[in-house]
Amino acid sequence: GDSVTQTEGPVTVSESESLIINCTYSATSIAYPNLFWYVRYPGEGLQLLLKVITAGQKGSSRGFEATYNKETTSFHLQKASVQESDSAVYYCALGEAGNMGYKLTFGTGTSLLVDP
Amino acid sequence: EAAVTQSPRSKVAVTGGKVTLSCHQTNNHDYMYWYRQDTGHGLRLIHYSYVADSTEKGDIPDGYKASRPSQENFSLILELASLSQTAVYFCASGDWGGYAEQFFGPGTRLTVL
């Protein structure tokens, strides 16, 4: 089946340092999956951070960016300079439209702690 | 104000007891979903619904029932709770179609003792 593997947390980074959270996927049943990063702040539900529908394209939001690389089946999340408010759990996911509306397959989540 | 709410936010249940988790959405979405997350796993789909009075099985439906009495409300029912059902449960809503974003509730932490 389809699967997503991402950096195992927790990850601790000092404020203003750079960040990369790795994400690789295996899409055995989907020819062209859509790729997503969701974020879960403490006490809140998951919310969409960014998405990329087309291979080779880059998505960006709130200073984060990720490039959909079909050759390496990767979708790494990067930020040049993190802030304390970025402390959260980040989930990589692949998705496809189908009978169930939109099926998402999630990674395990990466907990990020930013030291002030 | 939050568009997807869940209740309770946390619950302790006894093995063999009945547990009902509730979800309410104000997004006017047709689709609603129940996921569970365990340590070391991503979110996994339990049940979903695309219209009131109808529910469908997701990837891990065993031991769970679902109920969708209205477009806004979607419940997850554990008739006989077991230790293995200790997890965090998330509800989400979304529209049909390509690239449709799902909107999540804050989660319910369920502990079965």
Side-chain angles (χ1 to χ4, degrees):
Chain A
D2 305 325
S3 65
V4 175
T5 303
Q6 59 182 102
T7 299
E8 192 169 326
V11 172
T12 302
V13 179
S14 296
E15 199 166 32
S16 78
E17 289 191 346
S18 64
L19 169 74
I20 181 166
I21 299 176
N22 291 328
C23 173
T24 57
Y25 67 89
S26 172
T28 57
S29 63
I30 313 168
Y32 301 99
N34 310 135
L35 298 177
F36 302 80
W37 278 100
Y38 277 81
V39 59
R40 183 186 179 204
Y41 297 103
E44 300 181 14
L46 283 78
Q47 56 184 271
L48 182 64
L49 178 60
L50 58 86
K51 67 181 178 185
V52 178
I53 305 305
T54 305
Q57 299 296 311
K58 180 170 72 176
S60 60
S61 174
R62 308 180 209 176
F64 290 90
E65 59 183 35
T67 299
Y68 184 163
N69 189 319
K70 194 170 187 292
E71 286 68 39
T72 60
T73 63
S74 66
F75 191 54
H76 306 320
L77 183 68
Q78 300 183 70
K79 189 172 187 182
S81 177
V82 297
Q83 302 172 332
E84 190 177 359
S85 58
D86 293 326
S87 296
V89 182
Y90 293 82
Y91 297 87
C92 184
L94 62 84
E96 63 168 339
N99 293 335
M100 56 180 64
Y102 198 75
K103 179 175 173 62
L104 288 170
T105 299
F106 287 90
T108 56
T110 301
S111 177
L112 171 65
L113 177 62
V114 179
D115 279 338
Chain B
E1 49 290 333
V4 180
T5 55
Q6 295 182 231
S7 62
R9 293 293 308 276
S10 67
K11 183 173 180 63
V12 178
V14 295
T15 304
K18 182 177 180 178
V19 176
T20 300
L21 307 182
S22 299
C23 179
H24 179 80
Q25 58 112 349
T26 58
N27 295 321
N28 199 34
H29 288 153
D30 289 329
Y31 284 81
M32 294 187 75
Y33 308 83
W34 275 108
Y35 295 89
R36 67 176 279 175
Q37 183 171 27
D38 304 271
T39 302
H41 288 274
L43 279 72
R44 293 181 289 174
L45 183 66
I46 306 170
H47 284 288
Y48 69 98
S49 169
Y50 56 85
V51 68
D53 297 322
S54 178
T55 64
E56 305 292 335
K57 294 179 180 180
D59 297 326
I60 54 165
D62 293 345
Y64 302 93
K65 291 184 180 179
S67 173
R68 181 95 181 267
S70 64
Q71 187 193 38
E72 297 80 19
N73 295 294
F74 191 38
S75 297
L76 185 68
I77 303 150
L78 290 67
E79 294 279 3
L80 295 169
S82 67
L83 295 173
S84 65
Q85 293 177 312
T86 293
V88 179
Y89 292 83
F90 292 98
C91 176
S93 73
D95 274 329
W96 184 89
Y99 334 132
E101 179 180 352
Q102 289 185 19
F103 294 82
F104 287 80
T108 295
R109 182 174 295 277
L110 174 65
T111 303
V112 182
L113 301 176

